[in-house]
Amino acid sequence: MIVGIIGGGQLARMLALAGQPLGIECLFLDPAVDACARSAGELVCGAYDDESLLGVLAARADVVTYEFENVPATSLRYLAQRVRVHPSAEALGIARDRWHEKRLFAELGIPTPSFMAVDSWADCEQAVAAIGLPAVLKTRTMGYDGRGQRMLRSAADLKEGYAALAGMPLILEGFVPFDREVSIVAVRSAAGVTRFYPLTENLHKGGVLVQSVSRPADPLSAQARALASVLLDRLNYVGVLALELFQRGDRLLANEMAPRVHNSGHWTIEGAETSQFENHLRAVAGLPLGATGALAAAGMVNFVGQIPDPQAVLAVPGAHLHVYGKVPRPGRKLGHATVRAADETALYAALARLRALAGTAS
Ligand code: AMP
């Protein structure tokens, strides 16, 4: 079985590593000659919209999937006419545009922050008048890890925030003074079987995820699962999907969905019975899904901009190191550590040590 993957970054690499024991080979399309997945499979190097290379993927792969949302829609259509593509072009098309995404959430009764489309300065003023401040102005597409967004705290921020993003279709969202950020990572098979990983509690700094902790007994699990379930069924979804949520009191509001394996699910590599990567491959390859329960108290710390000394990381009890093989750059996700511990106290102690090593302790 050959799985084609659009993108050759760390998510593609971890998918390929999970596929190896199953006899699944991965073929990546990525414009970077040094794409970090290349050591785990075969790299087809070139542009995401190069039809001759998409043709190679279509001819050689049994099924094609992707590791990021910003795949050109035309590329996915081209592929979908020639080879099975999971998750579907529809799911990708919705997830890549925050406006379509939030409209679908609203249509399905999934609560969201207030939001309005902003295509001009007049729209921006109207949206601020309707939603109020503080608010967050975001590009509808191409935003990730907090990029392409501006926090508008007061009227004085408005002109500058709009000028920084103008020229792209935008969305204004009410700022949610959330108690917690959580995500629910789910996997659905072509036969419609859905499994959920335990709810994950996430901590971001500057828009970038720094820590995730699995919360198997979280009181909001059932609510999160119900929201994700509606979405998966409406999209007739196949593969792993992550729904990112804000908690306010006892209520969850949907921030965004990722139609792919997700950073907040990395703890599942050592922390769950079947990792998100293996289950995504199982789903897209038409294989039975694996169990998604946590094996122990489990979590993850991201390494952004630098990888700490492996001696120190691996001296933390229960820690496993994952290095992506990417050239270090400030703000770049270079690796992570997962932790499995006997109980929550030991888990949080280990995560604190790892965050100190990662430079994200405070
Ligand atoms: P996003 O790229 O939309 O996932 O945003 C990155 C991070 O910015 C989120 O994980 C939140 O920490 C923060 N954020 C985004 N939108 C909002 C919002 N409407 N209210 C409060 N915080 C937000």
Side-chain angles (χ1 to χ4, degrees):
M1 162 80 69
I2 298 183
V3 174
I5 303 181
I6 307 182
Q10 67 266 21
L11 300 179
R13 175 183 164 111
M14 289 186 274
L15 282 166
L17 291 173
Q20 284 173 3
L22 298 174
I24 293 176
E25 288 171 35
C26 291
L27 189 61
F28 318 105
L29 174 62
D30 195 293
V33 279
D34 63 347
C36 78
R38 74 196 183 287
S39 59
E42 189 183 337
L43 176 65
V44 175
C45 193
Y48 295 125
D49 58 358
D50 182 327
E51 282 198 359
S52 64
L53 300 183
L54 292 167
V56 171
L57 241 62
R60 291 189 46 204
D62 298 288
V63 58
V64 171
T65 189
Y66 44 87
E67 64 148 14
F68 66 110
E69 281 88 328
N70 297 315
V71 177
T74 46
S75 301
L76 218 65
R77 269 201 299 276
Y78 179 92
L79 284 167
Q81 283 162 5
R82 292 163 175 82
V83 62
R84 270 186 302 137
V85 176
H86 292 310
S88 67
E90 186 195 11
L92 180 84
I94 290 167
R96 72 204 300 271
D97 183 322
R98 293 181 193 276
W99 167 245
H100 292 313
E101 186 175 69
K102 290 224 161 52
R103 290 254 303 214
L104 178 66
F105 292 163
E107 182 192 313
L108 296 175
I110 298 172
T112 64
S114 340
F115 66 95
M116 282 177 79
V118 169
D119 293 319
S120 64
W121 172 243
D123 286 355
C124 188
E125 286 185 310
Q126 266 178 30
V128 168
I131 289 173
L133 292 175
V136 190
L137 189 63
K138 302 180 177 180
T139 57
R140 280 173 51 173
T141 59
M142 307 297 277
Y144 68 99
D145 287 348
R147 288 170 220 215
Q149 55 181 271
R150 289 289 181 283
M151 177 77 187
L152 309 180
R153 286 189 182 77
S154 67
D157 294 339
L158 224 62
K159 271 232 152 65
E160 199 184 309
Y162 179 77
L165 303 175
M168 308 249 315
L170 305 174
I171 183 171
L172 186 80
E173 293 177 11
F175 176 79
V176 180
F178 53 76
D179 303 317
R180 281 195 305 168
E181 289 191 83
V182 297
S183 58
I184 186 88
V185 177
V187 58
R188 188 175 183 277
S189 72
V193 175
T194 300
R195 295 215 167 130
F196 298 95
Y197 287 96
L199 191 74
T200 301
E201 188 175 307
N202 302 314
L203 190 67
H204 293 84
K205 281 188 189 290
V208 181
L209 182 69
V210 296
Q211 174 182 290
S212 292
V213 180
S214 76
R215 307 278 306 168
D218 199 284
L220 291 179
S221 282
Q223 195 182 135
R225 287 176 181 208
L227 299 179
S229 192
V230 174
L231 195 57
L232 291 162
D233 289 342
R234 155 67 181 76
L235 293 170
N236 197 16
Y237 194 87
V238 178
V240 163
L241 175 138
L243 181 61
E244 292 184 58
L245 301 151
F246 300 130
Q247 179 193 346
R248 259 209 100 184
D250 58 4
R251 208 159 163 247
L252 293 174
L253 303 176
N255 176 27
E256 62 179 350
M257 70 181 201
R260 56 173 169 78
V261 286
H262 191 254
N263 197 167
S264 68
H266 289 3
W267 66 266
T268 64
I269 301 175
E270 279 87 17
E273 205 157 320
T274 315
S275 79
Q276 63 162 348
F277 300 100
E278 179 173 342
N279 256 339
H280 184 72
L281 290 176
R282 288 196 193 200
V284 303
L287 297 167
L289 302 181
T292 46
L295 296 172
M300 182 231 50
V301 166
N302 264 343
F303 297 137
V304 180
Q306 52 114 12
I307 298 278
D309 179 1
Q311 290 281 353
V313 172
L314 296 175
V316 175
H320 298 263
L321 176 61
H322 296 260
V323 177
Y324 307 149
K326 288 158 68 174
V327 177
R329 232 187 278 140
R332 199 173 199 203
K333 288 178 183 168
L334 301 177
H336 69 267
T338 64
V339 187
R340 223 162 71 188
D343 54 37
E344 278 206 352
T345 310
L347 175 66
Y348 279 101
L351 293 171
R353 280 178 67 180
L354 290 166
R355 289 218 356 241
L357 294 169
T360 52
S362 54

